[in-house]
Amino acid sequence: MVNPKLSHRASICYRRIEPSDREILEQIHCDLFPIRYESEFFQNVVNGQDIVSWAAVDRNRPNGRSDELVGFVTARIVLAKESEIGDMLRYDPSKPDQTLVYILTLGVVDGYRNLGIASSLIQKVVKYASSIQTCRAVYLHVISYNDPAIRLYKKMSFQCLRRLQGFYLIGGQQYDSYLFVYYVNGGRSPCSPLELVTIMVSYMRSGLKTVAAKLYKNEDRKVPKWPKCKESHSLISTTQHRRSLTAECNGCECV
């Protein structure tokens, strides 16, 4: 891997975050994020207490820093029924053990960006979530002005489901957040694209059948005129219903 900002050719490897990483992990979080994390958070990360994590290191990094973090991702498992996306996830309520993986933090230090490290770290999380039989999705929040992150998640097939107004409070100012999700192990939204198309086609067919039936009836009576407004209205209602379904199922669109 080559980056003009580096004086050497990077050799990126991935491993779990360890207790010896705590100091540099805290420093990178401080450098990258406007939000301050409690000491307990880092303690839980390095000790693997309810949090899973992966680190990216450069084995060719000089000056004895070949095992120092250049990127990381942290995540935790949450119960689907207790999550904020429970209403946007189709799952069997009779199985209370169904879970989700929530990405807490993801970062790459300056000089190691645009090398595919963030993508690889996300893939680690997705692979981990997929290995959990009860897991149905990976989800996360992105602050609304973080365009590079938004583009990355879209590129990796995450779906933007919702825009949350005033989700972050930073320096006394509120910022919106986008909610992204990646479904695994058969997980899906209550209204999938295929189901939406099926519903629309069904309503359109129903409307056409109504018109055809009226036309046949009129012809049978030998009345040479088109159906009255009542029959035409069935097509108008179908169109309006289709628009309503689209609005309900699309969620938000990140641009």
Side-chain angles (χ1 to χ4, degrees):
M1 295 183 178
V2 178
N3 188 317
K5 294 184 178 181
L6 298 177
S7 59
H8 64 283
R9 185 179 182 86
S11 176
I12 305 300
C13 296
Y14 300 90
R15 60 170 175 78
R16 291 299 180 97
I17 292 179
E18 303 169 351
S20 59
D21 297 315
R22 177 166 177 168
E23 183 177 352
I24 187 63
L25 183 67
E26 290 190 31
Q27 184 59 53
I28 298 175
H29 273 73
C30 183
D31 294 340
L32 296 182
F33 304 125
I35 299 173
R36 295 294 170 258
Y37 292 85
E38 299 292 334
S39 176
E40 183 181 1
F41 167 75
F42 297 106
Q43 183 70 20
N44 291 338
V45 172
V46 300
N47 290 321
Q49 296 176 348
D50 299 323
I51 294 178
V52 293
S53 61
W54 288 265
V57 298
D58 179 4
R59 295 304 186 193
N60 288 341
R61 199 174 190 184
N63 303 320
R65 304 172 69 187
S66 62
D67 199 45
E68 186 176 297
L69 272 61
V70 297
F72 60 86
V73 63
T74 65
R76 70 182 177 196
I77 299 174
V78 298
L79 288 175
K81 65 179 181 179
E82 297 178 358
S83 74
E84 62 188 292
I85 68 168
D87 61 329
M88 292 176 281
L89 179 71
R90 174 171 291 186
Y91 64 94
D92 187 351
S94 66
K95 298 179 180 179
D97 61 337
Q98 292 183 92
T99 60
L100 307 169
V101 171
Y102 177 56
I103 294 181
L104 298 166
T105 60
L106 169 70
V108 178
V109 301
D110 188 28
Y112 284 88
R113 293 168 188 166
N114 301 314
L115 294 178
I117 295 175
S119 298
S120 295
L121 288 168
I122 295 171
Q123 289 171 357
K124 297 285 185 186
V125 178
V126 171
K127 183 178 180 180
Y128 169 76
S130 300
S131 71
I132 303 173
Q133 189 175 5
T134 59
C135 186
R136 294 293 173 263
V138 176
Y139 76 105
L140 57 106
H141 295 94
V142 179
I143 198 165
S144 58
Y145 61 71
N146 193 345
D147 293 332
I150 291 171
R151 288 194 296 269
L152 172 63
Y153 291 118
K154 282 185 173 182
K155 180 180 178 181
M156 299 193 69
S157 300
F158 277 72
Q159 299 178 37
C160 182
L161 296 186
R162 183 176 291 172
R163 179 166 182 153
L164 304 171
Q165 302 289 332
F167 183 82
Y168 293 105
L169 181 61
I170 303 172
Q173 185 173 350
Q174 291 185 325
Y175 296 90
D176 295 349
S177 167
Y178 289 118
L179 179 61
F180 280 90
V181 64
Y182 184 100
Y183 295 105
V184 299
N185 298 331
R188 54 182 174 144
S189 66
C191 188
S192 68
L194 178 59
E195 289 172 321
L196 178 58
V197 172
T198 302
I199 291 171
M200 289 192 294
V201 170
S202 176
Y203 274 98
M204 291 176 69
R205 285 180 175 176
S206 177
L208 290 173
K209 285 180 179 179
T210 301
V211 172
K214 292 297 182 180
L215 286 173
Y216 179 81
K217 183 178 181 180
N218 285 340
E219 185 177 338
D220 189 47
R221 291 179 179 178
K222 297 182 179 181
V223 180
K225 61 181 180 180
W226 292 98
K228 296 180 181 180
C229 294
K230 182 178 181 181
E231 285 74 33
S232 299
H233 179 69
S234 66
L235 285 177
I236 296 174
S237 297
T238 301
T239 304
Q240 290 173 338
H241 198 132
R242 181 176 62 191
R243 288 178 180 174
S244 177
L245 283 171
T246 303
E248 290 174 1
C249 299
N250 276 349
C252 70
E253 182 179 356
C254 302
V255 295

